[in-house]
């Protein structure tokens, strides 16, 4: 493998990779964040309860997480480019099948299984790990933050675009058009070619025997801070998927139209750009676990304020801005901690394992939100769970540290 041996500045290949990763994440996650806009029109047309669509999204998130360590292992062995290309093909296919899903089984297969597999190959774990390998260790969190922030712009763009497509052409045609856009992931994958960073003095050092994949996994699963970090990511998954899928419906229940929920999610995407970049920048200067404690604590405070203040356009949009700043700021910090603990050789696989717990939380946040609404007509129990989980998120990161267990 070729190596970068210059100083801490971003190399041209890394900049090229950052641009490609940003566009891929913008498409992959931008489309995914818009799925909540399909809940009401599809449920109304086919007379589904909210649980039907919610379960399909829950399956998507769970399979996405379950497959992430395996797609990560493939990326570690064969390169990110090939994995992302395969993911782009699956993503387009899944959207096309979703456009003709008239029953729960086909919806579960298209949205849940195929798109879940596609997301495991086209999202954060694959792309940020590739960026992390190519970046100087002192700039790793920032590089991940830049890729995450630029990718977040896709949520800001794709949400109003999705709503416009649904209103102009109907939900089915909107999905076909979106499938064509997502196919752009395939040529963009060729931009993922930056080589791994190696410190200049490492070239002259006597090579040490590298640990095997099985040895790394054994060390990881016996390292308690790594397990606490993984558990903390479950909180993030529960909260962002519950809000991303169900807040538009929550607002409709309270008399607001679909565009209000779309603007909320678009604001989340816009301010997520600031949040993820800032988190990456601060992660290179301050304790990442302490920053994560602050993020989860602020989420809990924001949710409590949103529920206790009178509901209005202004409180909804203010909540969107605040949650945007806190939304995926956890990602560059969490991935950076894993890289500091274990190095970058198996980074994609190890971040995939941590991300699996995120998706377990996503499964319950998406599914239980719909179940709670069907049973009670409201989301009260899930709001309470979100607040309690914020407290747990603060607590578990008290036991996380960045101490290097395996050196690059």
């Amino acid at each position: 493998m070729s190596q970068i041996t210059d100083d801490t500045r971003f190399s041209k290949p890394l900049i090229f990779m950052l641009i490609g990763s940003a566009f891929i994440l913008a498409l992959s996650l931008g489309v995914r964040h818009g799925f909540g806009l399909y809940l009401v029109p599809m449920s109304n047309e086919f007379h589904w309860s909210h649980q039907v669509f919610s379960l399909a999204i829950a399956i998507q998130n769970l399979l996405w997480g379950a497959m992430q360590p395996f797609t990560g292992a493939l990326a570690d062995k064969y390169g990110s480019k090939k994995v992302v290309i395969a993911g782009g093909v699956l993503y387009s296919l899944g959207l096309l099948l979703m456009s003709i899903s008239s029953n729960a089984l086909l919806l579960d297969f298209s949205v849940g299984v195929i798109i879940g597999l596609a997301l495991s190959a086209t999202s954060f774990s694959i792309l940020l790990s590739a960026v992390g390998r190519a970046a100087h260790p002192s700039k790793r969190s920032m590089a991940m933050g830049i890729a995450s922030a630029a990718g977040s712009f896709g949520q800001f763009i794709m949400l109003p675009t999705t709503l416009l497509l649904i209103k102009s052409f109907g939900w089915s045609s909107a999905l076909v058009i979106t499938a064509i856009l997502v196919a752009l992931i395939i040529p963009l994958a060729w931009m993922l070619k930056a080589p791994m960073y190696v410190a200049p003095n490492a070239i002259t050092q006597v090579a040490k025997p590298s640990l095997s994949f099985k040895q790394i996994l054994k060390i990881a699963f016996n390292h308690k801070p790594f397990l606490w970090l993984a558990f903390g990511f479950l909180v993030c998954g529960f909260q962002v998927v519950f809000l991303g899928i169900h807040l538009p419906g929550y607002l409709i229940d309270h008399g607001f139209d679909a565009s209000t929920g779309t603007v909320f999610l678009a604001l989340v995407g816009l301010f997520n750009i600031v949040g993820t970049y800032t988190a990456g920048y601060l992660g290179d200067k301050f304790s990442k676990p302490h920053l994560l404690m602050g993020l989860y604590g602020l989420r809990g405070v924001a949710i409590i304020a949103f529920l206790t203040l009178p509901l209005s356009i202004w409180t909804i949009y203010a909540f969107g801005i605040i949650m945007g700043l806190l939304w995926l700021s956890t990602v560059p910090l969490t991935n950076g901690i894993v890289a500091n603990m274990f190095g970058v050789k198996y980074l994609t696989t190890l971040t995939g394992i941590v991300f699996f717990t995120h998706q377990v939380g996503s499964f319950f946040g998406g599914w239980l939100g719909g179940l709670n609404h069907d049973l009670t007509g409201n989301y009260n129990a899930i709001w309470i769970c979100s607040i309690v989980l914020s407290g747990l998120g603060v607590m578990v990161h008290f036991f996380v540290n960045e101490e290097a267990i395996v050196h690059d």
Side-chain angles (χ1 to χ4, degrees), residues 337-377:
I337 291 173
V338 176
N340 288 350
M341 286 179 174
F342 301 103
V344 297
K345 183 177 181 181
Y346 298 111
L347 180 59
T348 319
T349 306
L350 292 171
T351 55
I353 292 170
V354 174
F355 187 73
F356 172 66
T357 61
H358 182 283
Q359 295 309 99
V360 171
S362 298
F363 173 87
F364 286 109
W367 175 55
L368 291 179
L371 180 62
N372 181 219
H373 187 275
D374 288 343
L375 292 176
T376 65

Side-chain angles (χ1 to χ4, degrees), residues 201-379:
N201 61 353
I203 298 173
T204 59
Q205 292 176 350
V206 177
K208 296 180 181 180
S210 60
L211 295 171
S212 68
F213 179 63
K214 289 184 179 180
Q215 288 173 319
I216 287 287
L217 286 182
K218 184 177 180 180
I219 292 171
F221 283 114
N222 284 284
H223 187 50
K224 289 183 179 179
F226 176 77
L227 300 179
W228 285 120
L229 180 69
F231 180 78
F233 222 19
L234 180 147
V235 177
C236 180
F238 185 99
Q239 292 174 334
V240 300
V241 170
F242 166 60
L243 291 173
I245 297 299
H246 294 289
L247 195 77
Y250 172 83
L251 296 177
I252 289 172
D253 288 347
H254 286 79
F256 296 90
D257 59 20
S259 62
T260 305
T262 303
V263 173
F264 167 85
L265 293 174
L267 286 171
V268 168
L270 180 62
F271 283 88
N272 190 33
I273 298 170
V274 179
T276 50
Y277 174 80
T278 303
Y281 174 79
L282 294 176
D284 286 329
K285 298 181 178 297
F286 302 101
S287 165
K288 296 179 188 66
H290 290 169
L291 290 171
L292 286 168
M293 290 171 68
L295 285 172
Y296 286 114
L298 288 172
R299 279 190 188 181
V301 172
I303 293 171
I304 292 171
F306 177 68
L307 295 176
T308 54
L309 292 172
L311 193 62
S312 70
I313 289 290
W314 301 113
T315 59
I316 293 166
Y317 292 167
F319 185 51
I321 292 170
I322 294 169
M323 288 307 298
L325 294 172
L326 308 172
W327 193 253
L328 293 177
S329 302
T330 57
V331 175
L333 297 175
T334 301
N335 285 14
I337 291 173
V338 176
N340 288 350
M341 286 179 174
F342 301 103
V344 297
K345 183 177 181 181
Y346 298 111
L347 180 59
T348 319
T349 306
L350 292 171
T351 55
I353 292 170
V354 174
F355 187 73
F356 172 66
T357 61
H358 182 283
Q359 295 309 99
V360 171
S362 298
F363 173 87
F364 286 109
W367 175 55
L368 291 179
L371 180 62
N372 181 219
H373 187 275
D374 288 343
L375 292 176
T376 65
N378 59 57
Y379 294 102

Side-chain angles (χ1 to χ4, degrees), residues 169-187:
F169 304 104
W171 64 265
S172 182
S173 296
L175 285 167
V176 174
I177 296 169
T178 304
I180 297 170
L181 288 175
V182 164
L184 293 173
I185 288 174
I186 298 168

